[in-house]
Amino acid sequence: MPRTRVAAVADVPPGHMRLVVIGQQKIVIYNCSGTLYASENTCPHLGAALSEGVLIGTEVTCPWHHWSFDVTTGACTSNPLAPKPLTVFPTTVEGGEVWVDLP
Ligand code: FES
C-alpha cells in the first residue's frame, strides 16, 4: 500500500496515541512531543493491542505483559531477548495531515 493519509494532526494531541484502521491493517499513530510516529497495533510478543497500552515519551508499553517498545525504531526496550521488534512505518506530516508509508 502506498503513502496513506491516516489522520489529521489535530486528532492525535502531543503525548497521545490513536488507533486507525486502514483496509485490513490496524495502525497506531503516536504523537511524541509534536513528532508523529506509526507502528503496527499488534504486540510482537503475544499479540495484544498496543493502542490499549501506555505511551510515555517515545516508549509504548504493552497492556498484557508490559514489554516496552521505542516507537521511533521499533526496538524492544524492556526485553533484550525479544524475538523481533515492533514494525514501525515511515511517517510524515504535510498540511496538518499525518501520512504513513504502509507496506
Ligand atoms: S503481548 Fe505484549 S508484552 Fe506480551
Side-chain angles (χ1 to χ4, degrees):
M1 191 180 287
R3 187 171 178 260
T4 303
R5 178 206 176 275
V6 293
V9 174
D11 293 338
V12 193
H16 289 75
M17 55 185 172
R18 181 183 178 99
L19 175 67
V20 296
V21 179
I22 306 293
Q24 303 290 318
Q25 291 184 287
K26 292 182 178 179
I27 308 295
V28 188
I29 310 303
Y30 309 91
N31 187 330
C32 304
S33 302
T35 303
L36 281 292
Y37 300 93
S39 78
E40 61 182 336
N41 186 43
T42 303
C43 178
H45 181 216
L46 291 176
L50 290 173
S51 58
E52 295 172 10
V54 175
L55 177 69
I56 297 177
T58 57
E59 232 178 46
V60 63
T61 300
C62 180
W64 282 6
H65 313 102
H66 310 294
W67 287 16
S68 296
F69 300 89
D70 183 334
V71 302
T72 72
T73 63
C76 184
T77 53
S78 61
N79 184 350
L81 300 178
K84 66 174 192 162
L86 178 67
T87 300
V88 295
F89 307 111
T91 304
T92 51
V93 171
E94 200 176 295
E97 309 287 337
V98 185
W99 296 81
V100 176
D101 291 335
L102 297 173

